[in-house]
Amino acid sequence: MDAARKAQLKAVEKKLLWLACWTVHNANHLREKADALKVGGHQASCASMVSIMTALYYATLRPQDRVAVKPHASPLFHAMQYLAGLQTREKLEAFRAYGGAQSYPSRTKDIDDVDFSTGSVGLGVAITAFSSMVQDYISAHSFNPDLAEGRMVALVGDAELDEGNVYEALQEGWKHDLRNTWWVIDYNRQSLDGVVREGLAGRIEAIFGAFGWDVVRIKHGALQREAFAEPGGERLREWIDTCPNALYSALTFQGGAAWRKRLQDDIGDQGDVSALIGRRSDEQLQELMTNLGGHCVETLSEVFAEQALHDRPVAFVAYTIKGWNTPLAGHKDNHAGLMTPTQMDGFRKAMGVREGHEWDPAEGLDIGEAEFSRFISQTPFFAAGARRHSAARIPAPGAIFLDDKVLSTQAGFGKILDHLAKSDDPLAERIVTTSPDVTVSTNLGPWVNRRGLFARDAVADTFRDERIPSTQKWGFSPEGQHIELGIAEMNLFLLLGAAGLSHSLFGERLIPIGTLYDPFISRGLDALNYACYQDARFMVVGTPSGVTLAPEGGAHQSVGTPLIGMSQDGLASFEPCWLDELSVIMDWSFDYLQRDGDAVHDERTWLRDETGGSVYLRLSTRAIEQPMRREDEAFRRGVIDGAYWLREPGPNCEVVIAYQGVVGPEAIEAAGRIGGDRRDIGVLAVTSADRLNAGWHAAMRMRKRGARGAMSHIERLLSGLPAHCTLITVLDGHPATLGWLGSVCGHRTAALGVEHFGQTGTIADLHHHFGIDSDAIVAAASELAPGRPVRLVNPI
């Protein structure tokens, strides 16, 4: 590296370190005045990463490369974006405050060019592997022959590798011949609470090597390597390489004099090595001993350039010092530490920054402002500005209605996809399905038989070649549209998240659909939340669900998932009972996944549907006799809005049964039985408690803001009921899912549902045991609705 290039990179490194530390200090100074919580952690973590990020962003990365930034390096990231003109000073001054730059880089909350949101530890690391797989999928399908393939890069803390999802992703990457992926491990040997265990680097290297990654250790900087070449240098190298992590950190914090004493005590008077140490002042010795590979932009740039010549996955183990070049360097408490005003003032002077010029881009640098500005603007990664793409919306094909007289919603889902698989509809070409080892048992089999499994290289179906009969015709090829996953649900949601960002990351629209057993949504909940936080777009199908999956026992019977669907931001949750409802919902969902309009409320429902989002379908294996198909506009609208009257109540209605999902037949039977003793019974078919509840809360908020006429869909449905009417809500899930309906207009409510783990038995056994069968509904009406006892009630 020539001297001018090195000077430019060192100037950027210095400026980024200053801006990151100043951003945190300034924010905390303002918080002290407001008596608000201080922000710790970022200054030391930023110092640890500053050289790595300088070498990556300003010497290595291209615009098509994508980076997941270590959460606590966010001030560094924001500082880089500020220098590139993609972040504002006002946002930096309000770091971690309302309206300011986010604590951790966020695609949805920050204004700067964030590729992947981070903050949920480990997930930002793993999603880069799945994004690389999605890029391979897009390239193999030739959606865009001119697509410039990028490298997916994660900046990783060594303690972050404690997260189990990282290793689940490693295994999945190995299965799919992962490439174009770099994980740069900030090996500063400190976690939040202490110092990492000795020997971790060796374990890291062994694990990554076992999964086929290249592992590159970046341990010594140029200064250290020059010293090792001096007489006595090999003895110094041996001491550094065997020094315990905690001791190295402690000596770093103590400084040059402490290094000198310890080295002299441990190595002794050995002539050459003693002379090597003696030739350096305390300040020079501190610089030498802290010149690890992860703090040498020259070394880092050279190593990154060498590894960029191939597409194999690489794990870089970059040795660093947490708090490098700050007063916090090396101290085990520095994660929550902050420089004091006195320390910050000394740090400012050491950086050559004048008071009042803290935000000036070239302040304190040894190169001129024009040269510095020119270097930043001509850096390839930043030269083109923001790098987010967009993709055209693909029209939904229209609702695909089924003619089956008796069928489950799970089977109906499979048949609708099979119908699409047989078509040449443009949307079908963009659908990519995936499942964690439950492809067949979630009814994706017909789709896969027609569309095939994806692999970059074709793999024959051995059973088919050997002429062994099988219902599964599963050959792997670059044209396949199903990505086969192992059983880890975290990987499912990380892949859905990556594929659901394809339009933004790669400029090509995919319609990702993932299936899993409904109770195991909880296994991947962190990754599901992470995907929604990034505004990824996908459809997830949880099936089979509830205690209706009777013979499987409690481990496979979901109870709380309807509440997850209601509470998860960015996810519209539906639980249809009938096939025609499912057809309407899937058709609407294919369009909803692609919307990206303004967050303006629809004044009919007060939902913000134009913003779009992801969709969760909770389906069942219970085969149900179907009603006559309904295709009118009012029906479609009610299904999407969240509810419609299956049996409209009369003017003197005494009981309304509101059901969601697979217990629809029980609600209908109960209504018929109650109708002989109670007047004007109504049956409300709820397809989405989530959308009903969201619209209700939104309408209430709007009324508080002065829109007095705001009324939600559920308010319109229930407002005409008499005050004495009783609501009975029922679903195969937690009763709180619908129990709130009584609060809408003040009606007395009995909420029936499942609150405890299930057990084996028949559907009738379990519905009776948990009180969600027709007998339980009738009994609730008899107890709560005024009048004589309802006849034909069986004891519960």
Side-chain angles (χ1 to χ4, degrees), residues 57 89 205 323 339 362 426 428 608 707 782:
Y57 281 90
R89 173 175 168 176
E205 293 172 6
M339 282 188 262
R608 298 182 300 175
S782 181

Side-chain angles (χ1 to χ4, degrees), residues 434-486:
T434 186
S435 188
D437 204 36
V438 290
T439 299
V440 174
S441 51
T442 55
N443 281 69
L444 281 178
W447 164 270
V448 177
N449 280 343
R450 295 186 188 278
R451 292 286 176 158
L453 294 104
F454 171 72
R456 284 197 296 116
D457 299 310
V459 179
D461 183 343
T462 302
F463 274 70
R464 188 175 185 180
D465 291 348
E466 294 295 327
R467 300 186 179 182
I468 300 173
S470 172
T471 58
Q472 301 173 14
K473 302 174 180 64
W474 288 12
F476 289 85
S477 75
E479 294 78 33
Q481 289 182 244
H482 178 78
I483 298 177
E484 186 180 50
L485 292 176

Side-chain angles (χ1 to χ4, degrees), residues 592-626:
Y592 182 71
L593 297 179
Q594 304 180 66
R595 299 177 188 175
D596 59 357
D598 294 331
V600 177
H601 290 92
D602 179 342
E603 294 189 10
R604 183 176 57 80
T605 62
W606 296 100
L607 295 168
R608 298 182 300 175
D609 282 351
E610 285 310 305
T611 64
S614 292
V615 174
Y616 161 39
L617 305 183
R618 188 175 190 250
L619 305 182
S620 173
T621 50
R622 184 189 186 190
I624 294 176
E625 184 177 355
Q626 299 296 311

Side-chain angles (χ1 to χ4, degrees), residues 744-757:
V744 174
C745 295
H747 293 103
R748 182 161 52 171
T749 301
L752 309 182
V754 183
E755 298 178 78
H756 304 290
F757 292 116

Side-chain angles (χ1 to χ4, degrees), residues 524-547:
L525 194 54
D526 192 14
L528 169 61
N529 181 67
Y530 174 66
C532 291
Y533 180 67
Q534 303 208 74
D535 197 26
R537 304 302 180 85
F538 54 88
M539 178 187 294
V540 58
V541 180
T543 183
S545 64
V547 299

